[in-house]
Amino acid sequence: MIQHEYERLQELLKLSTDLAEVKDFDVLMERILKAARDFVGCDAGSIYIREGNRLKFSYTQNDTLQSRLETGRKLLYNTFTVPISNESIAGYVALTGEMLNIPDAYALSGSLPYRFDRSFDENARYRTLSILTVPLKKNNNQVIGVLQLINARSSEGTIIPFDPGVEFYVTYFASNAAVGLERAQLMRGILLRMISMAELRDPSETGIHVNRVGGYSVEIFDEWARENGLSRTEIDKQRDTLRMAAMLHDVGKVAISDTILKKPGRLDVEEFETMKMHTVLGARLFLNTFSDLEVAARDVALNHHEKFNGAGYPGHVDPFTGKPVPGKTDSDGRPLPKRGEDIPLFGRIVALADVYDALSSQRSYKKAFDEDRVLSIIHEESGKHFDPEIAAAFFSALPSIHAISRRYE
């Protein structure tokens, strides 16, 4: 018994160490939920994040519903909020800060202050039985969210109640998860503040836009990585870095004149040449690199306007000097174009994610294109503007991309 308890504590410590390496908020929620579900052995789960006096349903996983999908497809879901009150199980746990271990959600007494809403089960053709709902508390005991685990499974796969013996471990895990989420929220806040500087200059460069581009980029990468046989460990590591780097793709716009950024129409040739410099100026912010994130942010900022066929910009330019890379110039001394795999992978991915969002959104000089027109353009530009493999991954990820678009409308 003592040896078993020791092994479980060691497992928790390793999980906590692994989570400490994840910096992006959305990626961290996914990792937390997967780790918690693996540890207790359950079918499904969700994470709610506190926003004022409400909880936002922010992430979910469900093996049963996932098994009904085609191989490679992802479970899609809509976000919603519930009040922090006795109206729901999650709301009650956030209000009281107390864990709830419910053996059978359908057998709850009507005298309890909280209730179980069966509408999800009815719509999804699912049966929720056991629920373990845990508050995510910061060190000062403030609840920042709720972790909800659903339908514990026996070793034979039968749905059973959650063993009270796991409550101590899940509480410990939840406290570490809350610290990680708080840190990731701080990182996300820093990124959005950097982006808000660009937003003050360029009204199209909003937090909503960059969240969409970040989300799209990760979904495209997932599909590309799966097709190219990357390990799950490598995919998880890269996703964390890519999402944050993608959000910073246009940060160099802070150095571009308002007369260009806010011009209510297309730019002339000279203005466009100036605008092109936002790629170099953005990359310059990350020249003294100390982490994988800074390397990725530099590559994305510099390369997200490159084209697969070599018709993009800025080409082989040294971001520190803004001049052509020695040995990478044409006969007139201009930088040679980048094409194909000269362009870093993350740059090729964000190029497509950014164009998709730009075409789908209203800008000062155009209305939003309808979806069919946007998809037709991307299809036609495969092999020209876009890496064909990345374009194929984009179309494979389209259901997930649509879900992200709705989440960040």
Side-chain angles (χ1 to χ4, degrees):
M1 174 68 78
I2 294 175
Q3 179 65 26
H4 177 67
E5 298 298 303
Y6 175 76
E7 289 173 356
R8 301 205 76 170
L9 283 172
Q10 289 292 101
E11 184 180 352
L12 274 182
L13 288 171
K14 183 178 185 307
L15 286 174
S16 299
T17 301
D18 291 344
L19 292 177
E21 297 177 359
V22 182
K23 299 178 181 64
D24 179 73
F25 188 71
D26 290 72
V27 174
L28 182 59
M29 283 195 294
E30 178 183 352
R31 297 279 288 278
I32 285 171
L33 189 53
K34 181 68 166 60
R37 290 179 51 236
D38 287 348
F39 184 78
V40 300
C42 68
D43 184 57
S46 303
I47 292 179
Y48 296 79
I49 297 298
R50 182 171 194 152
E51 293 185 351
N53 61 355
R54 300 185 70 85
L55 289 175
K56 182 178 181 180
F57 181 83
S58 298
Y59 196 79
T60 192
Q61 296 168 354
N62 187 305
D63 287 349
T64 295
L65 299 185
Q66 181 68 47
S67 68
R68 298 175 187 171
L69 303 177
E70 295 178 14
T71 302
R73 297 280 68 83
K74 291 190 174 184
L75 186 65
L76 306 181
Y77 59 93
N78 294 321
T79 60
F80 57 88
T81 64
V82 296
I84 295 178
S85 68
N86 294 338
E87 294 180 22
S88 66
I89 294 169
Y92 177 85
V93 167
L95 180 68
T96 63
E98 299 173 1
M99 174 190 290
L100 284 179
N101 189 346
I102 299 170
D104 187 346
Y106 283 64
L108 285 175
S109 168
S111 64
L112 292 169
Y114 47 85
R115 64 183 181 84
F116 173 69
D117 182 355
R118 302 186 184 191
S119 61
F120 171 82
D121 281 10
E122 293 167 356
N123 291 331
R125 294 181 291 112
Y126 187 73
R127 173 60 162 93
T128 300
L129 184 75
S130 52
I131 307 176
L132 183 62
T133 310
V134 190
L136 295 166
K137 296 181 181 180
K138 299 196 299 185
N139 291 332
N140 62 2
N141 230 30
Q142 180 183 353
V143 175
I144 66 167
V146 169
L147 171 65
Q148 192 164 73
L149 304 173
I150 298 169
N151 285 354
R153 291 182 294 208
S154 68
S155 56
E156 294 79 26
T158 305
I159 302 301
I160 59 174
F162 284 92
D163 179 358
V166 305
E167 293 178 8
F168 166 78
Y169 299 102
V170 174
T171 300
Y172 174 83
F173 176 81
S175 66
N176 283 306
V179 171
L181 286 170
E182 184 180 24
R183 184 192 68 245
Q185 280 180 318
L186 177 61
M187 174 67 80
R188 176 65 61 83
I190 291 171
L191 290 181
L192 290 175
R193 282 178 175 83
M194 290 180 68
I195 291 158
S196 70
M197 292 188 294
E199 183 180 348
L200 290 172
R201 312 295 309 288
D202 181 1
S204 70
E205 193 65 19
T206 65
I208 295 296
H209 164 66
V210 298
N211 268 302
R212 286 196 299 258
V213 171
Y216 299 160
S217 297
V218 166
E219 297 301 329
I220 294 168
F221 172 72
D222 268 1
E223 292 291 336
W224 178 90
R226 187 170 60 84
E227 286 295 320
N228 283 273
L230 270 69
S231 70
R232 190 70 248 175
T233 299
E234 184 62 21
I235 291 172
D236 287 342
K237 179 182 177 181
Q238 298 281 9
R239 291 172 85 248
D240 182 40
T241 302
L242 172 58
R243 183 181 175 90
M244 291 186 290
M247 292 177 67
L248 292 166
H249 66 281
D250 269 345
V251 71
K253 286 183 177 180
V254 296
I256 303 299
S257 165
D258 281 354
T259 58
I260 293 175
L261 289 176
K262 298 180 179 180
K263 183 177 179 179
R266 293 200 173 275
L267 304 177
D268 62 31
V269 174
E270 185 176 348
E271 290 168 336
F272 187 53
E273 288 301 315
T274 301
M275 175 63 91
K276 287 180 179 180
M277 286 300 296
H278 81 273
T279 56
V280 175
L281 296 169
R284 194 171 292 171
L285 292 171
F286 304 103
L287 285 180
N288 296 316
T289 54
F290 298 98
S291 68
D292 290 345
L293 170 59
E294 290 168 304
V295 172
R298 180 195 64 200
D299 286 347
V300 167
L302 185 63
N303 294 286
H304 70 282
H305 282 291
E306 296 289 359
K307 296 184 179 181
F308 195 72
N309 64 0
Y313 65 85
H316 287 281
V317 170
D318 181 345
F320 186 77
T321 63
K323 297 179 179 179
V325 174
K328 295 286 187 178
T329 60
D330 62 17
S331 57
D332 295 320
R334 293 173 300 193
L336 289 172
K338 290 181 183 176
R339 53 169 49 91
E341 294 188 3
D342 285 347
I343 308 164
L345 174 64
F346 285 1
R348 284 177 270 151
I349 290 173
V350 176
L352 199 158
D354 187 33
V355 167
Y356 174 75
D357 195 64
L359 294 177
S360 303
S361 305
Q362 182 171 325
R363 294 290 169 88
S364 61
Y365 52 87
K366 74 168 189 67
K367 294 181 179 179
F369 292 1
D370 64 67
E371 179 75 353
D372 287 345
R373 184 180 178 189
V374 174
L375 297 182
S376 176
I377 290 171
I378 291 174
H379 179 74
E380 290 170 5
E381 289 296 318
S382 177
K384 293 182 279 188
H385 190 151
F386 308 120
D387 179 341
E389 287 190 4
I390 300 303
F394 164 82
F395 283 107
S396 295
L398 206 51
S400 298
I401 285 170
H402 287 158
I404 290 167
S405 179
R406 291 191 296 272
R407 198 174 309 157
Y408 292 108
E409 284 183 324

